[in-house]
Amino acid sequence: MIYKFILDPAGVQYLQTIVFIVVIASLVQFVEMFLKKFMHSLYESLGVFLPLITTNCAVLGVALNSVTYGYGILKTVVYGFSTAFGFFIAIVIMAGLREKIEYNDVPETFKGSAIVLVTAGLMSIAFFGFSGVI
C-alpha cells in the first residue's frame, strides 16, 4: 500500500528499500514495547530475537538491491559480503563511541537517545565521504 499509494504517485520509487526497512523496524519495535509492557514473560523468553528481526531488514534490503540492479551470482556475493563488512564496521565504531560517551560528561539535554542520534548523524557524514571511492 505504501509503494502503490505514496511512493509511486510521488515518483520516489527509489526510496522503497529504505521505506520498507523503516516500516518493518518500526513494527518490530512496537511489538517489542507491547510485549515488554503486557506479556513480560514472553518478552523475556524471546530475548535478543526481536531486535534481530530489525537486522534481518538490512539483509532483505541487500537481497532486494541485488535483484533490482540485476547482479549475477558473483556480484551478489561480493555485494552481500561487502555490505555485511561495512555494517560490521559501523556497528563496532558505534559501540566504541557509545562506550566512550557513557563515561564522559554530556549535557543533560543530550543524554540518552539524543547523543546517540547526533553520533549516528556524524558517523553517516563521515561514511558519506567514502561514497564513490570504488
Side-chain angles (χ1 to χ4, degrees), residues 14-33:
Y14 57 89
L15 293 176
Q16 74 177 4
T17 305
I18 295 169
V19 171
F20 293 161
I21 289 172
V22 167
V23 167
I24 293 170
S26 301
L27 289 174
V28 169
Q29 293 304 315
F30 284 128
V31 167
E32 185 176 13
M33 289 186 305

Side-chain angles (χ1 to χ4, degrees), residues 52-72:
L52 282 177
I53 294 171
T54 305
T55 304
N56 287 337
C57 293
V59 174
L60 174 65
V62 170
L64 286 174
N65 281 343
S66 295
V67 171
T68 302
Y69 298 150
Y71 290 163

Side-chain angles (χ1 to χ4, degrees), residues 6 14 17 24 30 32 34 48 50 65 73 82-83 89 94 98 108 120 123 129 132:
I6 297 173
Y14 57 89
T17 305
I24 293 170
F30 284 128
E32 185 176 13
F34 176 82
V48 73
L50 278 173
N65 281 343
I73 186 70
S82 59
T83 303
I89 290 171
M94 188 67 171
R98 287 189 71 181
E108 193 65 37
M123 279 181 54

